[in-house]
Amino acid sequence: MPKKNILIVEDHALTRFGLRTAFEMTSGSDIEWRVFEAPNAKKGFDIIAKEKIDVVIMDLGLPDINGIEATKTIKQQHSNTKIVILSSHEQEEDVIKAIKSGANAYCTKDVNQDKLVEIVYSVMKGAAWFDPKIAQYVLNAAGSNTEVFSQNDNANEPAEKADTNLTSREKQVLSLIADGLSNAEIAKRLDVSINTTKAHVCNILQKLAVSDRTQAAIKAIKDKII
Ligand code: CA
């Protein structure tokens, strides 16, 4: 059974305890989790320097360095470490900054623990996950100000090169999804049947390892697939 190390960076002791318990309870089903805890970013960096951490759950409001800066620092040194942001608020600016910092997922703290565990598993498999409540911010930012995603900023680079194997037709469909078009509209635009469109969308979701078209659009933008 694969052993994975998870680090919870969170200053709120009760939240840390709850998260530790959630992972310890799921431990042994298909992954054996070793759970590490840090009450601030610097303690987190110390642990990451010593242990090979596979995934970090990162609070945004930390007492020393904010979670976005901490995410950037970790990603610069350990690009393969997955980072799931856990935030108590959902300000558009934070969401965009978190994505630019290289975070693999962004959840708000009202996420239930089973869902969070599920998100961590999907992030470990290479997927990105963004709370549907905040997904729209990302799409807005991409639509209104593509600069947000195209600045020459190293932290903005996807940690792993997106190897999606999308065909050029699928990329075309994905780009229309990101523009907010429905299947019917995409079918019309590309002059293909709705079933063909659905098949393309289905393949795209599978290849990108995402569960719906919003997540597909976000991944496309984040990883610069389109
Ligand atoms: Ca906090």
Side-chain angles (χ1 to χ4, degrees), residues 10-11 59 61-62 109:
E10 161 70 75
D11 56 324
D59 180 26
L62 292 167
K109 279 187 174 166

Side-chain angles (χ1 to χ4, degrees), residues 35-46:
V35 184
F36 296 83
E37 293 180 34
N40 57 52
K42 284 188 179 136
K43 289 255 166 61
F45 296 158
D46 289 346

Side-chain angles (χ1 to χ4, degrees), residues 114-132:
D114 289 347
K115 181 69 189 173
L116 183 63
V117 170
E118 195 186 299
I119 291 164
V120 166
Y121 274 77
S122 61
V123 160
M124 305 257 307
K125 287 184 201 140
W129 193 89
F130 294 89
D131 189 304

Side-chain angles (χ1 to χ4, degrees), residues 131-194:
D131 189 304
K133 285 201 297 294
I134 60 108
Q136 197 54 47
Y137 295 159
V138 183
L139 298 180
N140 289 348
S144 64
N145 177 15
T146 46
E147 285 300 303
V148 170
F149 291 97
S150 59
Q151 287 171 11
N152 187 15
D153 175 355
N154 282 340
N156 195 22
E157 293 298 318
E160 290 139 78
K161 198 166 160 48
D163 179 19
T164 56
N165 297 319
L166 291 183
T167 64
S168 58
R169 188 58 146 183
E170 285 162 356
K171 281 186 189 162
Q172 212 176 357
V173 172
L174 182 57
S175 143
L176 295 173
I177 291 174
D179 287 341
L181 269 65
S182 67
N183 283 351
E185 288 164 336
I186 293 171
K188 203 170 161 201
R189 182 78 66 90
L190 299 181
D191 197 21
V192 295
S193 74
I194 188 120

